[in-house]
Amino acid sequence: MFPEQKLGYTYEEYKVTADWLLANTEHRPLIAIICGSGLGGLAEILKDQKVFSYSDIPNFPQSTVHGHAGRLVFGTLKGKSCVCMQGRFHLYEGYPIWKVTFPIRIFRLLGVETTIVTNAAGGLNEDYKVGDIMLIKDHLNMPGFAGNNPLVGPNDERFGLRFPCMSDAYDSDLRKLAKTVARDLGYSEFLKEGVYCVLGGPSFETIAECSMLKRLGADAVGMSTVHEVIVARHCGMRVFGLSLITNKAVMDYNSESKANHEEVLQTGRERASQLEKMISRLIEGIEPNNNNVC
Ligand SMILES: O=P(O)(O)O[C@@H]1C[C@H](O)[C@@H](CO)O1
């Protein structure tokens, strides 16, 4: 009665993309970095770059959001091979969730062991200031509550288990390392640790929504990241995540401030060099995992 709905890519479709990339670059990355809105400059930490436009990569979705360049950058940092997404995909762009997370399985097929996810987010925790960097220790998956989870559909055991655990999604050793790095760089004053909540977007939250999310235990709110993390953990990658608090979520009916994308991008520009230093030092400290599933 209903037309068959496509629920994801086939293993062969993922392989086509991964094999194309392997044939077109000599880099064999162990670490992937996903740049949040306005944070694409993070790719500049990579040397010996080989850059692909998303439009040139078979099967790759296209970036449609200002602040997401749509380039896949391979390169090295202190001898470590990395790949960096300058531009991620969001549900609100109209992509089904399995397209949003497509690059993660490609990274796995390239041999990536550790994924670093970054995002711009609104601060709900009243101790947070604009410009704070929040290490993500856990998440609230709002689209997931309604059944929009990237693992919906037939499970491919070649990637992972039907029912993956998410209670240890954000690697505690990498968070410890990040705290040490931040302390050494003198960044502790603006380093926080908290819970990230994903919503579908693209509208920013109402005041009532912000106060509900805060009561539910969220420290920051955004429109990305969680779907990628679920897929990365499903296929056994270690995950490190951080949110740049680009704006304070509006919680007061008398407030004049209004969330807007330009402010989000501007805060990214202001914190760019510190974020680059922090991620560089973090990557320096990441030990290879010998492709062990964790
Ligand atoms: O890709 P991220 O999550 O960093 O982008 C955030 C959420 C929206 O895409 C945009 C709103 O300004 O920034």
Side-chain angles (χ1 to χ4, degrees):
M1 193 156 50
F2 297 107
E4 283 269 306
Q5 196 193 352
K6 188 168 158 89
L7 281 172
Y9 293 94
T10 61
Y11 192 81
E12 290 65 36
E13 284 169 316
Y14 288 111
K15 279 283 285 167
V16 165
T17 306
D19 289 347
W20 186 90
L21 288 167
L22 290 169
N24 283 280
T25 174
E26 290 180 355
H27 290 282
R28 295 294 178 262
L30 293 179
I31 298 170
I33 308 155
I34 303 182
C35 302
S37 281
L39 305 179
L42 284 172
E44 300 316 318
I45 62 180
L46 301 183
K47 309 277 176 266
D48 310 317
Q49 292 191 0
K50 171 85 186 173
V51 181
F52 299 96
S53 250
Y54 290 169
S55 55
D56 293 332
I57 307 173
N59 296 332
F60 229 75
Q62 305 308 306
S63 281
T64 68
V65 185
H66 181 40
H68 291 260
R71 293 166 10 125
L72 194 62
V73 181
F74 288 82
T76 55
L77 182 85
K78 304 265 171 190
K80 289 189 174 140
S81 185
C82 302
V83 57
C84 182
M85 279 177 77
Q86 276 184 323
R88 64 147 55 86
F89 311 113
H90 306 83
L91 285 177
Y92 65 76
E93 292 173 81
Y95 289 122
I97 198 159
W98 43 271
K99 278 201 180 176
V100 167
T101 57
F102 174 74
I104 309 297
R105 286 183 170 170
I106 300 306
F107 294 155
R108 188 62 192 153
L109 292 175
L110 298 181
V112 168
E113 300 173 338
T114 304
T115 293
I116 298 174
V117 283
T118 69
N119 61 57
L124 295 161
N125 185 318
E126 60 218 9
D127 294 336
Y128 289 6
K129 296 191 207 51
V130 170
D132 281 353
I133 295 172
M134 183 188 88
L135 306 182
I136 306 177
K137 71 169 180 201
D138 204 348
H139 68 226
L140 284 170
N141 179 11
M142 290 299 181
F145 288 178
N148 200 7
N149 184 301
L151 303 179
V152 165
N155 185 55
D156 192 328
E157 296 280 332
R158 285 169 287 190
F159 285 117
L161 298 172
R162 173 74 289 189
F163 300 109
C165 174
M166 285 296 141
S167 57
D168 58 352
Y170 300 86
D171 192 273
S172 57
D173 290 337
L174 293 178
R175 271 187 285 135
K176 254 185 238 154
L177 177 62
K179 283 178 211 166
T180 307
V181 162
R183 198 193 51 224
D184 293 350
L185 288 167
Y187 294 173
S188 300
E189 192 199 327
F190 55 85
L191 191 79
K192 304 284 186 314
E193 187 171 35
V195 174
Y196 174 87
C197 176
V198 60
L199 302 183
S203 47
F204 287 108
E205 301 68 43
T206 64
I207 292 172
E209 284 163 351
C210 288
S211 53
M212 178 194 80
L213 296 177
K214 193 175 151 205
R215 272 180 240 193
L216 290 179
D219 296 295
V221 58
M223 307 175 192
S224 70
T225 303
V226 168
H227 326 304
E228 298 152 358
V229 170
I230 290 171
V231 172
R233 291 299 297 146
H234 177 247
C235 60
M237 286 193 245
R238 272 187 306 208
V239 169
F240 171 78
L242 62 79
S243 296
L244 175 63
I245 305 302
T246 53
N247 55 291
K248 296 264 293 178
V250 180
M251 220 84 81
D252 171 3
Y253 285 100
N254 293 317
S255 169
E256 295 282 304
S257 65
K258 295 188 196 311
N260 66 87
H261 191 53
E262 195 36 57
E263 180 189 13
V264 168
L265 298 181
Q266 181 56 27
T267 311
R269 285 190 280 272
E270 285 164 14
R271 267 283 178 256
S273 82
Q274 281 117 331
L275 275 170
E276 284 168 31
K277 285 198 189 99
M278 193 170 148
I279 303 260
S280 299
R281 293 270 193 102
L282 183 81
I283 290 175
E284 274 179 56
I286 294 179
E287 299 294 339
N289 198 31
N290 301 321
N291 259 298
N292 285 332
V293 168
C294 54

